[in-house]
């Protein structure tokens, strides 16, 4: 049983809304887990009632749900992050009431149906939350022991700018904090084996040409990396090294303790931009996406900017948009644009003339805005 798509979208939007849920909504892995868990809860409750009407629904403490609890703890979140379950329940309950009103117009029967359903849903959710909370506590107890816990706690202090001595932090991390740092985030869809993430982290290290890396397990499907590299490798090099199922966000290189923190925040910004745009692209370097990340902080405003700036060009074929963007990146030099596109200069000029007929304002009068709008579309689509 799968609820209609619009119900799922409404449930997801509600579950990930609000300031308290922002840290989860901004993380592609945690957000995907939240959406999957809430849909699984609805399907679990419905299937149980179909199979055993009137019986107490067993809690949904599946392997996926317990993995979610582990990830929340590893990100330093507590039980308040489970508020999304309640929010999603409210949306599901509204739709269930609509179904109930369509099943009977007998007031007594309707009252009994709603009463039984309400108590069943509330009990099921309480039992599920109790099971997940217990897992979170067990995971928290486990993470307070051992090298992983120490490394994660030290990284958290550094990222928060807490007063921790450099030598002490280096001893706990086994990683020097002086000199250059390049931070990266490696993540994948849920269910990808941890070994593939480690392989991807090692591929990033090779692409950077360094001999060591610091790795922190952020969740079951994401790793945080730091490498003593003075520059980020080209996206083309990363693309050759990485498998198809893994994505990477790379910060800007920076130095010393503050650079350790800043480069990671850059990588987070790039990762969140990909998630916000639901981009299929697998590699995002902060240097390449800084402008788009800033322009798309408010997705609705970004949509309006693209529509107002590009007009009909926004819906034109990809080759035409790519030609215009390449021409602008080559400082309006048609010959250089043709060389990059492996086409003839006259082809570029014909495409530019066609694009001019689609733009609300001539390209020559609005080059910066058109370039920015096309960059947004570039990161929303494509396969690289």
């Amino acid at each position: 049983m799968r609820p209609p798509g619009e119900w799922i979208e409404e449930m997801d939007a509600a579950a990930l809304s609000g300031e308290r849920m922002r840290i989860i909504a901004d993380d592609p892995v945690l957000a995907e887990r939240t959406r999957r868990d809430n849909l699984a809860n609805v399907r679990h409750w419905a299937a149980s009632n179909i199979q055993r009407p009137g019986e107490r629904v067993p809690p949904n403490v599946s392997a996926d749900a317990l993995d979610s609890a582990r990830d929340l703890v590893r990100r330093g979140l507590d039980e308040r992050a489970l508020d999304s379950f309640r929010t999603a329940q409210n949306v599901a309950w509204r739709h269930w009431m609509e179904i109930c009103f369509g099943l009977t117009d007998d007031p007594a029967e309707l009252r009994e149906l709603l009463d039984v359903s309400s108590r069943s849903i509330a009990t099921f959710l309480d039992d599920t939350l109790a099971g997940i909370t217990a897992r979170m506590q067990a995971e928290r107890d486990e993470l307070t022991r051992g090298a992983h816990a120490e490394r994660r706690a030290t990284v958290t202090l550094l990222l928060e700018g807490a007063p921790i001595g450099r030598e002490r932090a280096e001893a706990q991390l086994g990683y020097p904090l002086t000199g250059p740092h390049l931070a990266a985030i490696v993540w994948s869809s849920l269910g990808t084996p941890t070994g593939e993430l480690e392989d991807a982290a090692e591929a990033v290290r090779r692409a950077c040409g360094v001999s060591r890396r610091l790795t922190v397990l952020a969740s079951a499907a994401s790793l945080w990396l730091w490498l003593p590299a003075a520059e980020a490798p080209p996206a083309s090099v990363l693309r050759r090294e990485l498998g198809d199922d893994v994505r990477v966000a790379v910060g800007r290189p920076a130095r010393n303790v503050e650079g350790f923190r800043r480069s990671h925040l850059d990588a987070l910004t790039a990762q969140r931009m990909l998630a916000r745009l639901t981009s299929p692209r697998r590699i995002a370097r902060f240097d390449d996406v800084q402008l788009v990340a800033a322009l798309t902080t408010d997705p609705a405003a970004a949509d309006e900017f693209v529509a107002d700036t590009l007009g009909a060009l926004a819906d034109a074929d990809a080759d035409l948009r790519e030609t215009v963007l390449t021409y602008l990146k080559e400082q309006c030099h048609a010959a250089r644009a043709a060389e990059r596109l492996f086409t003839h200069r006259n082809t570029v000029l014909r495409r530019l003339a066609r694009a001019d007929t689609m733009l609300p304002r001539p390209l020559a009068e609005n080059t910066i805005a058109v370039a920015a709008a096309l960059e947004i579309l570039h990161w929303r689509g494509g396969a690289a």
Side-chain angles (χ1 to χ4, degrees), residues 186-200 217 219-223 245-246:
V186 174
W187 78 103
S188 66
S189 58
L190 299 177
T192 300
T194 303
E196 290 189 22
L197 291 176
E198 280 291 338
D199 290 345
L217 184 62
S219 71
S222 62
L223 299 176
D245 297 329
V246 178

Side-chain angles (χ1 to χ4, degrees), residues 68-379:
S68 296
R70 179 186 60 188
D71 284 352
L72 292 173
V73 172
R74 286 176 173 174
R75 291 299 305 273
L77 301 171
D78 58 24
E79 287 75 6
R80 288 175 295 180
L82 301 177
D83 285 354
S84 66
F85 283 37
R86 300 284 186 193
T87 310
Q89 175 202 5
N90 293 336
V91 174
W93 172 247
R94 289 201 306 271
H95 289 297
W96 176 247
M97 283 195 296
E98 293 173 2
I99 293 174
C100 291
F101 276 95
L103 292 175
T104 179
D105 54 7
D106 182 295
E109 189 175 45
L110 181 60
R111 186 181 302 110
E112 181 180 4
L113 175 58
L114 291 175
D115 179 60
V116 170
S117 299
S118 175
R119 286 187 284 111
S120 174
I121 291 173
T123 302
F124 160 68
L125 196 60
D126 287 343
D127 291 347
T128 296
L129 288 174
I132 293 176
T133 299
R135 172 57 184 265
M136 291 180 73
Q137 184 57 54
E139 185 70 20
R140 193 174 291 113
D141 292 342
E142 182 178 337
L143 287 182
T144 57
R145 304 185 297 272
H148 172 81
E150 185 177 79
R151 187 162 63 245
R152 177 58 196 261
T154 301
V155 164
T156 299
L157 290 173
L158 290 169
L159 295 179
E160 292 176 348
I164 178 174
R166 178 180 60 79
E167 292 182 358
R168 175 189 168 201
E170 288 178 338
Q172 292 173 340
L173 295 175
Y175 176 85
L177 293 173
T178 55
H181 303 290
L182 182 70
I185 299 173
V186 174
W187 78 103
S188 66
S189 58
L190 299 177
T192 300
T194 303
E196 290 189 22
L197 291 176
E198 280 291 338
D199 290 345
E202 188 61 14
V204 174
R205 182 197 63 76
R206 289 195 303 269
C208 291
V210 296
S211 60
R212 66 189 306 173
R213 59 180 165 94
L214 170 65
T215 306
V216 172
L217 184 62
S219 71
S222 62
L223 299 176
W224 291 349
L225 308 178
W226 284 266
L227 307 108
E231 61 182 80
S236 58
V237 174
L238 287 170
R239 196 174 298 117
R240 287 198 302 269
E241 290 278 354
L242 293 170
D244 293 336
D245 297 329
V246 178
R247 311 180 83 186
V248 176
V250 182
R252 289 174 294 183
R255 298 184 63 83
N256 302 327
V257 174
E258 178 55 29
F260 180 93
R261 175 177 179 271
R262 194 183 75 187
S263 187
H264 177 74
L265 295 179
D266 287 347
L268 274 178
T269 296
Q271 183 196 35
R272 290 169 178 172
M273 185 213 73
L274 290 181
R276 189 165 58 242
L277 298 180
T278 60
S279 173
R281 295 184 177 274
R282 296 186 298 114
I283 298 163
R285 305 189 319 162
F286 183 83
D287 280 337
D288 298 330
V289 304
Q290 185 176 12
L291 175 63
V292 176
L295 289 174
T296 58
T297 301
D298 182 340
D303 289 343
E304 185 176 357
F305 169 72
V306 169
D308 290 347
T309 303
L310 298 183
L313 184 61
D315 298 316
D317 62 84
D319 286 344
L320 181 57
R321 296 200 309 265
E322 183 184 9
T323 297
V324 178
L325 182 57
T326 303
Y327 171 74
L328 294 175
K329 286 182 175 180
E330 291 297 334
Q331 300 178 328
C332 301
H333 196 290
R336 287 202 300 263
E339 185 177 350
R340 280 188 58 181
L341 292 167
F342 301 103
T343 190
H344 195 277
R345 177 176 178 274
N346 289 342
T347 301
V348 171
L349 293 176
R350 283 197 301 270
R351 290 175 180 173
L352 291 173
R354 182 180 166 210
D356 243 354
T357 67
M358 298 179 174
L359 290 167
R361 293 172 57 190
L363 180 60
E365 298 177 7
N366 202 27
T367 54
I368 294 176
V370 170
L374 287 172
E375 274 289 330
I376 293 173
L377 292 184
H378 170 78
W379 284 98

Side-chain angles (χ1 to χ4, degrees), residues 1-20:
M1 188 216 80
R2 184 177 180 86
E6 60 269 21
W7 293 11
I8 297 174
E9 291 177 5
E10 183 183 354
M11 190 167 61
D12 291 344
L16 293 171
S17 65
E19 193 61 34
R20 181 177 288 181

